[in-house]
Amino acid sequence: MIIRIATKDDIDQLIRMRWDFTLEDDLDGTLKNEAYSGFYEECYDFLWKALQSDIWSIWVAEEDGMIVSNIYIELIHKVPRPGRITHPFAYMTNVYTKPDYRGKGIGSKLISKINEWAKENKYEFIIVWPSEDGVNFYEKNGYQHCKEPMENMLCE
């Protein structure tokens, strides 16, 4: 198992995984008529830009040349504050492991590597909004509940 940061050569696999991840949770079939081609173009554009930026880090677990798990990290830079050095924090999203590879510790190895990387880079904290099913996974990997953020839902 190789754990590494994704490259542009991984884009096609990452797009397919994002598609599969989304459809896996589409229990009411809302997305059954969505065209993969339109999604592919939008996601390709996003990933191409993300992989060239210093804002996104997309981590993958690879086995025999196939990506089996991924985690996306976006760095959020805070406004500097007098009296202390301001470090960015990390927003974790799109945490996904292919169904056949779940329960084997792959996601935990991937998140452990990300935690080490974040500490080495002195990021202030990592934040994630887990699904109900994901809470135990994050708790097992050292994450804890914090105060709920506030939101203003502008698009529905």
Side-chain angles (χ1 to χ4, degrees):
M1 182 71 48
I2 298 170
I3 295 177
R4 60 179 176 77
I5 293 180
T7 69
K8 64 181 179 175
D9 294 332
D10 299 317
I11 289 177
D12 285 341
Q13 288 189 73
L14 292 169
I15 293 170
R16 173 51 68 179
M17 288 180 71
R18 181 64 177 163
W19 177 266
D20 292 345
F21 177 30
T22 304
L23 291 185
E24 192 175 310
D25 288 336
D26 184 34
L27 302 177
D28 62 0
T30 305
L31 301 173
K32 66 182 176 191
N33 295 321
E34 283 292 314
Y36 183 75
S37 60
F39 168 75
Y40 181 94
E41 289 179 26
E42 179 184 7
C43 198
Y44 187 96
D45 184 55
F46 169 81
L47 289 168
W48 182 259
K49 290 174 184 171
L51 290 170
Q52 295 180 70
S53 79
D54 61 351
I55 301 296
W56 285 95
S57 294
I58 301 169
W59 288 82
V60 298
E62 175 186 17
E63 187 171 279
D64 299 324
M66 180 176 67
I67 297 173
V68 298
S69 186
N70 60 226
I71 297 176
Y72 289 52
I73 301 287
E74 182 181 18
L75 293 182
I76 310 297
H77 294 274
K78 297 169 27 179
V79 177
R81 175 173 249 171
R84 67 178 182 172
I85 295 178
T86 306
H87 297 283
F89 68 91
Y91 167 59
M92 181 185 300
T93 189
N94 196 42
V95 177
Y96 180 70
T97 300
K98 290 183 175 185
D100 291 346
Y101 293 87
R102 292 179 189 159
K104 298 179 180 184
I106 296 169
S108 291
K109 288 177 185 169
L110 189 55
I111 207 168
S112 177
K113 184 70 173 172
I114 289 168
N115 291 341
E116 289 174 22
W117 167 78
K119 284 180 186 176
E120 288 170 8
N121 286 285
K122 298 182 177 159
Y123 300 139
E124 191 168 335
F125 58 88
I126 300 173
I127 192 165
V128 62
W129 277 277
S131 66
E132 284 183 38
D133 294 338
V135 171
N136 288 337
F137 168 76
Y138 293 106
E139 287 177 342
K140 178 177 76 172
N141 286 286
Y143 288 69
Q144 56 190 329
H145 284 282
C146 59
K147 293 181 181 178
E148 291 295 321
M150 296 175 71
E151 65 184 359
N152 181 350
M153 297 299 291
L154 302 173
C155 298
E156 292 198 42

